[in-house]
Amino acid sequence: MSRASVVEYLRSTGHPVTAPELLGLPATCGGGDGVIEHAAERVYSALMDLDDERVRRVIFDLYLAGRTMVEICDRAIATAMHEIGRAWEAGRIEVYQERRAVEVCSSVIGELRRLRAAPLPDAPLALGGALAPDPYTLASQMVELVLLEAGWRAQSLGIGHPVETLASAIGAKRPRVFWLTASSVENPEQFAADCRRLCGAAREHGAALVVGGRALSEGLRRELEYHAYCDNLRHLTSFAESLHLARKAGPTQDGGAAG
Ligand code: B12
């Protein structure tokens, strides 16, 4: 039995985890109540203390208690990062604490990804990332994670891309969904032109272009071309689910290119 199946079994049955370290989880994890409401505060406090193990414990406790990747990302990690932004702005925390927080969250997201079973080879493909010069990394990693959870073959291409290389990826890999994260937009006109280019590539190759991120104000969104905009990851999974359902109901059942 794979590690992913054991973890999935424990989550679905609520069985106590007796030796979490054998599963590569923090030694003291498994006793959490799974309450999501105060999770962001706990993550924030552990991040600020530079207590990596406590961050992992809070997150894996939530996961073992049956919380979804969407809840963990939207409500625990992202909310803690938003609070870090406010604290940095108010001068209550140091830059090194903010930078370390990104490192630790990125690593925990990677660990969560490895806890999932590999997607089915015929699952629909989703690719995405961010355009240069947007330096924000966590959002695209989270999108990948929640789409994996939703049964997609999701792969984040990372950040710092010239638009042409993302358009090439759409043409070469034919994803069913292509996501674009926009956390920082320096030049709105250039961004709108890039988005048009990506939407054109998506249309040509049968993909849906999904956009999201804090930089997409209502004003900017009006200037953009895309197929769906999502405020958060919960909205993304609903959208992804609707595509899945449409695909199941459609005439072809193959797992290949979008259409
Ligand atoms: C970490 C951080 C940085 C790091 C990022 C490093 C990295 N590797 O990612 C670095 C050092 C680069 C940085 C730089 C700066 N930062 Co900064 N940063 C942050 C911070 C604290 C966290 C960002 C983060 O990871 N959030 C977690 C993500 C997951 O949350 P999210 O973006 O909201 O995403 C959620 C949704 O929007 C949605 N979503 C997002 N994208 C997508 C995409 C799709 C397809 C979908 C479906 C959904 C979706 O789902 C996510 C989960 O719920 C934020 C605070 C904040 N509010 O986020 C400030 C913040 C964004 N930064 C800020 C500032 C001021 C700066 C700097 C100008 C600081 C400076 N003087 O240099 C520079 C600007 C850099 C630039 N070119 O834009 C301000 C921006 C204020 C403003 N008015 O715009 C913020 C808000 C802090 C604050 N409160 O003042 N920053």
Side-chain angles (χ1 to χ4, degrees):
M1 214 180 194
S2 72
R3 187 168 77 118
S5 335
V6 175
V7 171
E8 214 33 62
Y9 172 77
L10 293 169
R11 288 180 80 219
S12 56
T13 57
H15 257 291
V17 189
T18 44
E21 64 281 13
L22 294 181
L23 294 167
L25 301 172
T28 49
C29 97
D33 50 19
V35 175
I36 196 81
E37 280 68 28
H38 301 294
E41 285 163 38
R42 292 185 197 151
V43 172
Y44 173 82
S45 149
L47 285 170
M48 292 305 91
D49 290 345
L50 264 52
D51 189 340
D52 304 1
E53 277 310 286
R54 210 162 92 230
V55 178
R56 294 178 73 226
R57 198 164 66 232
V58 175
I59 299 295
F60 291 120
D61 272 351
L62 289 170
Y63 190 62
L64 287 172
R67 291 297 176 174
T68 62
M69 300 295 192
V70 173
E71 290 175 303
I72 291 172
C73 289
D74 272 340
R75 299 184 63 188
I77 303 178
T79 305
M81 290 308 297
H82 296 164
E83 183 52 30
I84 287 175
R86 283 189 288 275
W88 168 81
E89 198 180 11
R92 283 185 275 119
I93 65 165
E94 292 284 345
V95 168
Y96 76 81
Q97 291 173 296
E98 181 212 69
R99 301 289 156 85
R100 178 65 194 165
V102 176
E103 295 288 313
V104 175
C105 290
S106 178
S107 141
V108 169
I109 292 167
E111 284 190 70
L112 286 170
R113 196 179 51 220
R114 288 188 291 278
L115 279 185
R116 301 284 319 166
L120 296 172
D122 66 347
L125 179 66
L127 294 178
L131 289 161
D134 185 338
Y136 289 86
T137 47
L138 291 182
S140 191
Q141 295 172 0
M142 287 183 183
V143 170
E144 177 187 86
L145 183 64
V146 303
L147 286 177
L148 284 169
E149 178 178 56
W152 290 66
R153 278 186 299 133
Q155 291 181 318
S156 169
L157 302 175
I159 62 163
H161 290 284
V163 70
E164 279 310 322
T165 195
L166 294 184
S168 298
I170 294 173
K173 298 296 170 193
R174 305 291 184 99
R176 180 73 187 86
V177 160
F178 191 88
W179 75 80
L180 186 64
T181 70
S183 306
S184 160
V185 169
E186 274 182 13
N187 180 338
E189 286 79 31
Q190 184 59 53
F191 184 82
D194 289 352
C195 220
R196 251 191 321 277
R197 172 77 184 94
L198 287 182
C199 203
R203 212 173 280 122
E204 186 184 344
H205 298 290
L209 177 66
V210 186
V211 299
R214 57 179 306 284
L216 299 184
S217 62
E218 227 181 297
L220 177 54
R221 286 203 314 270
R222 263 196 293 275
E223 307 303 317
L224 301 181
E225 267 182 48
Y226 52 82
H227 293 105
Y229 162 77
C230 300
D231 278 316
N232 52 38
L233 302 169
R234 188 164 53 87
H235 294 167
L236 172 68
T237 48
S238 306
F239 176 71
E241 203 177 282
S242 69
L243 290 182
H244 235 331
L245 293 175
R247 185 170 163 267
K248 275 188 190 146
T252 56
Q253 296 290 311
D254 66 341

